[in-house]
Amino acid sequence: MATATFKIWRGDADGGELKEYTTELTEGMVVLDAVHQIQAEQAHDMAVRWNCKAGKCGSCSAEVNGQPKLMCMTRMGDLPTDRPITVEPLKAFPLMKDLVTDVSWNYEVKKRIRPFKPRRPDFEDGSWEMHQSDVDRVQEFRKCIECYLCQDVCHVLREHHMHDEFVGPRFFVHNAALEMHPLDTEDRREDLRTSQGIGLCNITKCCTKVCPEGITITDNAIIPLKERIVDQAYDPVRKLIQLVTGR
Amino acid sequence: MDFSRHEHDVLIIGSGGAGLRAAIEASAAGASVGLVCKSLLGKAHTVMAEGGMAAALANVDERDGWAVHFADTMRGGQYLNNWKMAEIHAKESPDRVRELEEWGAVFDRTKDGRILQRNFGGHAHPRLAHVGDRTGLEMIRTLQDHGVHQGFDDYQECTVTRLLKDGDRVVGAFGYDRESGQFRVFHAGAVILATGGLGRAFKITSNSWECTGDGHSLGYHAGAELIDMEFIQFHPTGMVWPPSVRGILVTEGVRGEGGALTNSEGRRFMYDDIPPLYTNQTADTPEEGWRYVVGDRDARRPAELLTRDHVARCILREVKEGRGSPHGGVFLDIAWIKDRIPNGAEHIKKKLPAMYHQFKALADIDITEEPMEVGPTTHYVMGGLRVDADTQMCTVAGLYAAGECAAGLHGANRLGGNSLSDLIVFGQRAGEHAASYADEHGRGTLEDSQIEAAHREAMAPLERQDQTDGAGPYGVQFELQDMMQEKVGIIREEGTLSEAVEEIAALARRADLIGVIGDRKFNPGWHTTLDLRHLLSNSEACARAALERKESRGAHSRIDFPDKDKEWGGFTVVLKRGSGGGMEVRRDPLPPVREDLQKIIEEQS
Ligand SMILES: Cc1cc2nc3c(=O)[nH]c(=O)nc-3n(C[C@H](O)[C@H](O)[C@H](O)COP(=O)(O)OP(=O)(O)OC[C@H]3O[C@@H](n4cnc5c(N)ncnc54)[C@H](O)[C@@H]3O)c2cc1C
Ligand code: SF4
Ligand code: SF4
Ligand code: FES
């Protein structure tokens, strides 16, 4: 039977270390299976989050051989097993225990973003006319499973710890989903520019590369938002139209 | 005893679709609301739902309406459903779906810009509002993002282990935080259980670790009645290969889009066995079935879209008779539609993106080129807490239930898509009525003795670290899952069901002795030990109910009683905790269907 060796980070905020475990491999296994097997056989008290085991809930985020990944979608067959596979918690958030980090900051940030505010319904039953071509773009953003892998790789959060000034790529995606929603009437541009710090993003595209949902975070969300803000700030004609129409 | 104490008018346990919808409603009614969940907010099992939510919006076929939806639900449930719930559900689901749109949900659209609806098993018309194959994500995110602005308090990664009572009334709950192991005591005027399903009682399941049926068991031990526990839905199409993904769901949406089930001989075997209740509605040939898929209104539904119980049994038959696929399933082929429509591969990826991705990533299979291998997987429990149709109150005062942990709507078999709509229809009602109950009755008294008992129970496994059962919590859990799969699975009989009841009792005795190492801080061994009590209690309920029902109906199939029995069609199996602590089984006659509704059923057959 083939085996693989893992180095899994064990410990809490007070400190810890990478611990070595060896476990058996079966066909088609993913990293999360191996971690669970180790948990059941060798380390009953190892902390790890998961729910769906199918890449749908965004709970099992970790750094596998240094790469931000969903453990449930990372196949053992795609990793070299001639040397130990490291599994570590996300680095952009405070550590709780083992592979589990405190992601509550993300929930607080989201609460600060102005919620959806639809225009009046088009029909008497309270519904609207919206065409598929109007919603394609928003649907891409709404695929987000809130795994926070993009937050983890963004240097503004990971290295510069600017959590107070910058909301991170996940929440630019969220803003984009709201701003480009055909029914929405709210304006979030000022917030984006000031309290949410979109200007701090220097378009490295690291976030896009790790998104397991394949959302083109930078090109489709961040850059268009930046453009809207520029328009808002410098476009006198737009300003005039806004004054007249109230939008 | 160290714990923090929280006061609320309404305490909601569970933040899937049902719990979130209830929280929004109770908050709107002015109640102070606490929402507790085992995982992070937005990760509940609802997030995994794929195919869609059923509501007779009639956007795609104007012949649809609440009466047709009602009749479909009753037929699917083999008429054991609580007809009043089926009526409410059919009438209110369109408004609840439109409300999601008002809160920001973005469903796929029809050509004229309305909410698009898709075909699903047992539904006469295209009825499922959806977003590709990630409808559950859309629902939960919409409710979550709207909900967090409604002012309720959430307690994430907190597990409730026991309900607290004041005499005959439920007045709170006891739980622990997963991360810190800190205990919490909730004191509330009303408690809503919205804890979802119990698929984890079985080995092969589409359900996540959370689905240990905690609400079923918490309610039962607080004195509430369970009904319909013999009806476990085995979804016909779960992944079968590779082993590590066995059980993961393949959405019925694949068949809704034209997917064909074939055996090793290449035969569309579903066309060989069409049950009498459905002959009028089912296509005679794959050709007619395909015409239905592409919108020919004179064509009838493909046989692949028969109800789940039936499709699961047909697959099992093919496998048993040696016509299965290499890894013990059958083939599900969507690639064949490329011959029928232009840009077929693109169409498949657009309509079933999550399935495309899931097979590509986990099984190295490109579903636009090759067939999938599929087999039945434990998916949904029709049984649960008995509730009042209008208010969702359980048979214990102050306790409410909504969503998968409540029973009645689905009878002997749930139609796909009827769960997501169930969550929002009855979540809304539970929220409204729990808030008014709390308003009327205040919070009741919470005695220290109740808290002490709950505390003792939760601490027990940590206090017997030295007397570990050799197998530990995981070992006992795996044994239970294997046994349930084998003896209380798709096909059942008297002898093995009786054995199951005894084996569950033996496992329960062992579970009582399990000690766990480590402390309370994020200790999965401890969590598993505590959840195991719920799994065992629910497994016993399933096995006893299955033993009691001496017929085959819907999701319940007995080899020793292979046919439907007219008399049994008039009874519900009820389980209740007896005064001596044992589980009591009883049959209750079903109330006759209201006359106007009976007429609808007859007209629609
Ligand atoms: C893969 C898959 C696909 C599906 N697709 C569809 C579909 O297309 N259409 C459809 O209608 N249905 C579908 N279903 C069924 C449907 O998704 C579920 O029935 C439904 O989501 C259950 O919702 P719920 O709100 O009742 O509970 P859940 O979403 O399961 O949420 C339960 C909540 O309770 C919490 N909880 C549980 N126990 C405790 C405790 N002890 N203490 C504190 N909190 C607790 C959990 O943390 C969670 O927050 C699907 C199911 C699966 C598995
Ligand atoms: S593109 Fe911007 S948001 Fe994305 S990782 Fe780079 S700096 Fe961060
Ligand atoms: S945008 Fe992508 S990477 Fe970021 S949280 Fe959402 S799914 Fe994860
Ligand atoms: S467990 Fe849900 S994404 Fe991995």
Side-chain angles (χ1 to χ4, degrees):
Chain A
M1 198 45 103
T3 62
T5 302
F6 285 82
K7 283 186 165 173
I8 303 179
W9 207 93
R10 300 297 312 270
D12 56 24
D14 300 332
E17 56 178 351
L18 286 170
K19 272 204 178 159
E20 213 168 276
Y21 301 94
T22 299
T23 198
E24 265 179 22
L25 294 183
T26 46
E27 186 169 348
M29 210 177 203
V30 293
V31 171
L32 185 65
D33 292 321
V35 168
H36 277 153
Q37 201 164 292
I38 291 166
Q39 186 189 55
E41 291 168 0
Q42 308 172 45
H44 282 202
D45 60 347
M46 183 161 68
V48 53
R49 280 197 186 104
W50 70 286
N51 273 71
C52 68
K53 213 170 121 35
K56 296 193 164 91
C57 71
S59 304
C60 64
S61 307
E63 299 190 0
V64 179
N65 284 345
Q67 300 292 319
K69 293 273 188 199
L70 296 177
M71 286 187 278
C72 71
M73 297 302 276
T74 307
R75 289 186 24 161
M76 290 301 302
D78 297 337
L79 298 171
T81 46
D82 53 345
R83 50 179 188 258
I85 295 161
T86 59
V87 186
E88 295 165 277
L90 300 184
K91 302 272 167 58
F93 308 111
L95 181 71
M96 292 175 99
K97 181 168 183 267
D98 306 334
L99 299 176
V100 173
T101 54
D102 178 0
V103 292
S104 58
W105 172 79
N106 291 285
Y107 288 86
E108 286 153 26
V109 168
K110 195 181 218 181
K111 231 177 183 161
R112 295 205 319 255
I113 295 171
R114 289 169 202 267
F116 178 62
K117 196 164 118 195
R119 66 165 194 252
R120 298 239 325 265
D122 299 339
F123 303 106
E124 252 171 39
D125 64 4
S127 65
W128 289 267
E129 181 172 332
M130 271 192 284
H131 291 273
Q132 189 60 44
S133 54
D134 303 332
V135 301
D136 277 338
R137 199 161 52 156
V138 176
Q139 284 187 333
E140 178 191 1
F141 304 141
R142 293 185 66 88
K143 286 195 303 192
C144 170
I145 56 175
E146 300 199 329
C147 65
Y148 308 129
L149 290 176
C150 55
Q151 306 285 71
D152 186 49
V153 290
C154 177
H155 66 102
V156 185
L157 297 173
R158 189 186 177 99
E159 273 129 47
H160 306 293
H161 306 287
M162 298 178 80
H163 294 72
D164 292 334
E165 291 95 344
F166 181 74
V167 296
R170 157 59 191 137
F171 296 105
F172 296 135
V173 170
H174 182 57
N175 267 293
L178 291 163
E179 284 287 294
M180 300 181 201
H181 193 305
L183 306 183
D184 184 68
T185 59
E186 187 62 90
D187 187 346
R188 299 169 189 79
R189 290 175 294 181
E190 189 60 20
D191 297 350
L192 274 162
R193 200 170 58 79
T194 55
S195 59
Q196 303 188 15
I198 196 169
L200 292 167
C201 160
N202 55 345
I203 322 202
T204 58
K205 301 201 182 187
C206 311
C207 50
T208 305
K209 279 186 209 121
V210 298
C211 177
E213 286 296 308
I215 302 171
T216 30
I217 304 175
T218 14
D219 289 2
N220 287 358
I222 298 180
I223 294 174
L225 285 177
K226 282 180 177 252
E227 283 168 0
R228 285 178 179 220
I229 290 166
V230 173
D231 287 355
Q232 177 203 28
Y234 302 113
D235 186 344
V237 181
R238 176 79 61 99
K239 269 258 156 79
L240 195 66
I241 296 173
Q242 274 170 8
L243 270 179
V244 176
T245 61
R247 264 217 68 184
Chain B
M1 256 191 322
D2 56 319
F3 59 81
S4 54
R5 193 180 166 117
H6 310 276
E7 298 281 334
H8 289 287
D9 297 325
V10 177
L11 177 73
I12 300 170
I13 306 173
S15 67
L20 279 166
R21 186 63 191 82
I24 290 169
E25 197 66 20
S27 302
S32 106
V33 174
L35 180 67
V36 193
C37 49
K38 286 207 275 192
S39 292
L40 295 172
L41 201 58
K43 310 291 182 196
H45 195 64
T46 298
V47 81
M48 298 166 68
E50 296 166 353
M53 58 192 96
L57 298 162
N59 286 351
V60 173
D61 193 323
E62 80 290 346
R63 293 171 297 182
D64 205 8
W66 78 264
V68 195
H69 191 184
F70 164 77
D72 286 349
T73 301
M74 294 294 292
R75 187 185 307 105
Q78 306 265 355
Y79 305 108
L80 288 191
N81 324 51
N82 178 325
W83 48 263
K84 192 141 187 233
M85 285 175 82
E87 179 195 14
I88 291 172
H89 170 254
K91 282 184 171 162
E92 294 182 4
S93 51
D95 279 346
R96 294 287 85 77
V97 170
R98 282 191 284 262
E99 183 176 76
L100 290 179
E101 189 164 86
E102 181 190 328
W103 296 342
V106 183
F107 293 102
D108 286 352
R109 315 306 297 177
T110 62
K111 285 211 172 63
D112 59 350
R114 316 300 298 264
I115 296 172
L116 181 61
Q117 299 181 272
R118 72 157 44 120
N119 295 312
F120 238 55
H123 293 281
H125 303 297
R127 190 175 284 146
L128 271 65
H130 62 277
V131 186
D133 48 8
R134 55 162 189 87
T135 312
L137 173 65
E138 192 68 17
M139 170 180 273
I140 205 162
R141 200 66 81 233
T142 301
L143 292 172
Q144 173 192 346
D145 291 354
H146 179 74
V148 296
H149 296 284
Q150 309 310 308
F152 53 73
D153 294 323
D154 57 63
Y155 304 88
Q156 301 183 31
E157 300 196 309
C158 175
T159 303
V160 167
T161 57
R162 192 181 170 115
L163 296 177
L164 305 174
K165 290 180 77 177
D166 173 9
D168 288 335
R169 173 184 166 193
V170 171
V171 291
F174 183 90
Y176 63 85
D177 271 7
R178 274 170 78 72
E179 300 138 23
S180 61
Q182 288 303 309
F183 291 122
R184 291 183 191 272
V185 169
F186 300 94
H187 182 202
V191 175
I192 302 176
L193 294 167
T195 50
L198 48 75
R200 283 275 144 187
F202 294 81
K203 182 178 175 193
I204 301 174
T205 178
S206 63
N207 290 189
S208 84
W209 67 270
E210 290 196 300
C211 300
T212 44
D214 298 8
H216 289 75
S217 153
L218 290 168
Y220 166 82
H221 288 285
E225 287 177 2
L226 296 170
I227 58 168
D228 296 339
M229 290 297 285
E230 64 275 38
F231 298 113
I232 304 282
Q233 180 166 77
F234 298 92
H235 193 291
T237 60
M239 290 177 82
V240 297
W241 191 259
S244 74
V245 300
R246 192 166 187 134
I248 293 181
L249 192 78
V250 180
T251 175
E252 188 165 317
V254 175
R255 285 170 283 143
E257 300 296 337
L261 285 168
T262 57
N263 61 19
S264 59
E265 295 160 4
R267 192 172 166 76
R268 299 266 299 251
F269 59 86
M270 286 308 303
Y271 284 87
D272 297 340
D273 177 6
I274 294 166
L277 258 183
Y278 285 93
T279 36
N280 289 341
Q281 307 186 349
T282 308
D284 288 329
T285 60
E287 204 46 50
E288 181 185 352
W290 173 248
R291 282 197 281 116
Y292 176 89
V293 171
V294 290
D296 178 344
R297 300 167 52 122
D298 298 326
R300 292 166 299 175
R301 287 203 295 281
E304 274 87 359
L305 290 180
L306 284 160
T307 53
R308 291 179 175 173
D309 48 341
H310 180 73
V311 180
R313 279 191 296 272
C314 290
I315 292 177
L316 221 57
R317 179 196 65 212
E318 292 304 304
V319 174
K320 228 184 190 155
E321 293 175 9
R323 295 185 296 272
S325 66
H327 301 105
V330 294
F331 297 105
L332 173 61
D333 186 13
I334 185 72
W336 80 281
I337 71 168
K338 284 191 303 180
D339 299 342
R340 301 301 181 98
I341 47 174
N343 285 328
E346 284 318 303
H347 177 81
I348 294 167
K349 282 189 216 167
K350 168 90 195 153
K351 283 291 169 189
L352 303 162
M355 285 305 108
Y356 174 77
H357 184 59
Q358 182 174 313
F359 274 88
K360 195 90 183 149
L362 297 175
D364 274 331
I365 283 184
D366 179 350
I367 65 168
T368 68
E369 296 292 336
E370 300 164 79
M372 301 158 246
E373 264 189 86
V374 296
T377 180
T378 315
H379 187 54
Y380 186 88
V381 56
M382 274 66 77
L385 292 152
R386 182 178 223 173
V387 290
D388 174 68
D390 286 308
T391 64
Q392 297 293 104
M393 198 195 288
C394 298
T395 53
V396 170
L399 185 64
Y400 293 75
E404 191 168 341
C405 70
L409 171 62
H410 309 294
N413 176 53
R414 172 183 74 100
L415 297 185
N418 268 1
S419 170
L420 289 185
S421 42
D422 171 4
L423 308 182
I424 42 181
V425 167
F426 293 106
Q428 185 270 340
R429 281 181 168 258
E432 176 188 336
H433 290 280
S436 72
Y437 180 92
D439 189 38
E440 224 170 280
H441 294 85
R443 289 195 191 150
T445 323
L446 184 51
E447 301 279 353
D448 286 346
S449 60
Q450 284 279 310
I451 302 171
E452 280 155 21
H455 183 265
R456 249 194 325 274
E457 180 181 66
M459 285 302 290
L462 291 165
E463 280 164 2
R464 19 169 219 257
Q465 308 217 350
D466 45 335
Q467 43 177 305
T468 314
D469 175 287
Y474 297 100
V476 175
Q477 182 191 322
F478 293 152
E479 274 182 54
L480 175 70
Q481 290 164 333
D482 278 337
M483 191 280 293
M484 287 295 285
Q485 188 77 32
E486 189 193 323
K487 298 185 173 167
V488 195
I490 306 183
I491 307 287
R492 303 159 170 177
E493 64 182 315
E494 176 98 24
T496 41
L497 284 171
S498 307
E499 283 167 30
V501 172
E502 277 167 33
E503 285 172 41
I504 292 164
L507 287 167
R509 284 192 293 274
R510 279 171 59 194
D512 281 342
L513 296 177
I514 294 171
V516 285
I517 46 164
D519 56 19
R520 269 153 48 195
K521 201 169 171 195
F522 218 123
N523 186 342
W526 181 45
H527 306 161
T528 305
T529 309
L530 293 174
D531 288 349
L532 199 50
R533 296 168 311 141
H534 302 308
L535 273 185
L536 285 159
S537 166
N538 293 327
S539 298
E540 181 181 353
C542 294
R544 284 193 190 277
L547 198 54
E548 180 74 4
R549 184 172 286 278
K550 294 181 176 44
E551 65 159 351
S552 292
R553 179 184 296 269
H556 172 66
S557 300
R558 296 266 309 241
I559 307 181
D560 41 356
F561 300 97
D563 299 317
K564 228 181 338 199
D565 179 286
K566 195 147 185 252
E567 204 166 313
W568 264 110
F571 287 99
T572 309
V573 177
V574 184
L575 301 145
K576 190 172 188 304
R577 191 160 182 263
S579 45
M583 192 177 278
E584 286 174 2
V585 188
R586 176 178 101 224
R587 293 175 208 184
D588 275 7
L590 286 166
V593 180
R594 211 174 62 217
E595 220 169 286
D596 56 318
L597 296 177
Q598 185 58 39
K599 222 171 118 216
I600 290 173
I601 291 173
E602 280 155 23
E603 281 166 8
Q604 298 286 339
S605 65

